[in-house]
């Protein structure tokens, strides 16, 4: 079963705008990861944030984690058409150390 | 550098036929290996993972099986495919046994259509 749930399911923005995607989960976690998937391709790891971290940056990516709300957000700043892809969060559960992927957010960046 | 290969890229098979998907990793030793299935527009479902040769753990009961005959080779098989087996199959590897700590590296995937 899925642990992480992304929101929104789909997001369409103009190039240059910021894109924010959210992930909510149900059980306590050790860490949370964000992955990107271009259509019909494998997943690419973007960033990992540990449960004791609140924010992490990587280039134009900013990830936040709020363990009290059991949620995370992925912000892509100054979006580009090449950012068009599906974005997944993956969480583990401290109870069984198992990693689960959400259904993903489909991001479309219009040039 | 490490690379991961999957083949075939696409496959169309009739119901009841056998299946064999292969995944190989280069450039690393003793990787943890994973098979995922992704239904259209959905997240990934972990099918099998392996921490070593001959060691296979199954996450969900199904008519699929996995084998790891060599350190860097992972095979997904079925004796008789079902329509519900259609999907996008992804192989991945990671460096650590704790897959929630070490990032996973994914192959390009195999698109399977069962007709």
């Amino acid at each position: 079963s899925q642990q992480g749930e992304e929101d929104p399911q789909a997001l369409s923005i103009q190039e240059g705008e910021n894109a924010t995607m959210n992930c909510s989960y149900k059980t306590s976690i050790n860490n949370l990861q964000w992955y990107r998937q271009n259509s019909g391709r494998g997943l690419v790891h973007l960033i990992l944030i540990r449960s004791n971290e609140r924010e992490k940056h990587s280039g134009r990516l900013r990830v936040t984690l709020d363990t009290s709300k059991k949620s995370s957000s992925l912000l892509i700043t100054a979006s580009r058409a090449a950012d068009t892809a599906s974005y997944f969060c993956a969480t583990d559960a401290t109870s069984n150390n198992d990693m689960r992927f959400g259904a993903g957010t489909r991001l479309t960046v219009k040039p | 550098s490490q690379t991961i290969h999957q083949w075939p890229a696409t496959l169309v098979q009739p119901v009841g036929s056998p299946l064999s998907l292969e995944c190989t990793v280069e450039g690393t030793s003793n990787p943890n290996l994973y098979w995922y299935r992704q239904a259209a527009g959905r997240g990934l479902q972990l099918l099998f993972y392996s921490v070593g040769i001959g060691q296979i753990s199954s996450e969900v009961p199904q008519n699929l099986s996995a084998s790891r005959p060599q350190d860097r080779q992972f095979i997904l098989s079925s004796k008789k495919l079902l329509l519900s087996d259609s999907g996008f199959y992804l192989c991945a590897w990671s460096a650590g046994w704790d897959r929630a700590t070490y990032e996973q590296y994914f192959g390009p995937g195999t698109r399977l259509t069962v007709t």
Side-chain angles (χ1 to χ4, degrees):
Chain A
S1 62
Q2 293 174 337
Q3 153 86 311
E5 295 290 339
E6 290 90 344
D7 153 59
Q9 291 184 343
L11 180 62
S12 182
I13 60 175
Q14 293 294 133
E15 205 165 30
E17 295 179 339
N18 296 341
T20 300
M21 290 159 273
N22 303 296
C23 171
S24 60
Y25 55 92
K26 297 175 182 177
T27 61
S28 297
I29 61 172
N30 291 318
N31 47 61
L32 182 147
Q33 301 181 44
W34 283 93
Y35 286 80
R36 166 199 167 117
Q37 183 183 33
N38 284 17
S39 180
R41 305 291 296 275
L43 276 71
V44 175
H45 181 267
L46 295 176
I47 203 163
L48 181 152
I49 186 166
R50 301 188 185 280
S51 60
N52 61 353
E53 297 176 312
R54 291 297 166 259
E55 189 170 312
K56 219 168 178 181
H57 296 257
S58 177
R60 293 183 296 113
L61 305 181
R62 174 179 166 245
V63 169
T64 62
L65 179 64
D66 187 336
T67 53
S68 66
K69 295 181 180 178
K70 292 187 170 57
S71 68
S72 173
S73 67
L74 170 67
L75 168 67
I76 303 176
T77 60
S79 65
R80 305 166 183 167
D83 293 329
T84 294
S86 290
Y87 292 83
F88 296 88
C89 70
T91 58
D92 71 321
T94 55
S95 59
N96 60 14
N97 209 32
D98 200 6
M99 191 163 78
R100 302 287 176 180
F101 286 81
T105 291
R106 174 69 187 168
L107 173 66
T108 302
V109 182
K110 300 176 183 176
Chain B
S1 62
Q2 302 89 357
T3 55
I4 178 169
H5 304 279
Q6 278 187 253
W7 65 90
T10 60
L11 190 61
V12 180
Q13 292 281 101
V15 168
S17 64
L19 172 74
S20 181
L21 302 181
E22 190 162 343
C23 171
T24 59
V25 180
E26 296 177 357
T28 186
S29 298
N30 197 31
N32 298 320
L33 297 171
Y34 315 90
W35 277 112
Y36 291 90
R37 176 170 58 202
Q38 183 179 32
R42 302 293 299 276
L44 276 67
Q45 178 186 34
L46 180 63
L47 301 176
F48 300 95
Y49 70 92
S50 171
V51 298
I53 295 174
Q55 301 178 62
I56 308 294
S57 296
S58 175
E59 290 293 303
V60 293
Q62 60 218 322
N63 68 321
L64 300 171
S65 62
S67 61
R68 184 170 177 174
Q70 300 181 42
D71 181 45
R72 290 168 286 180
Q73 184 184 30
F74 206 22
I75 297 172
L76 182 69
S77 304
S78 174
K79 292 182 180 179
K80 289 185 178 182
L81 283 169
L82 306 172
L83 284 174
S84 58
D85 291 325
S86 292
F88 192 50
Y89 288 82
L90 289 157
C91 180
W93 74 273
S94 71
W97 73 268
D98 175 358
R99 60 186 180 275
T101 300
Y102 296 95
E103 64 180 89
Q104 295 189 19
Y105 302 90
F106 286 81
T110 294
R111 174 77 57 194
L112 171 66
T113 304
V114 182
T115 59

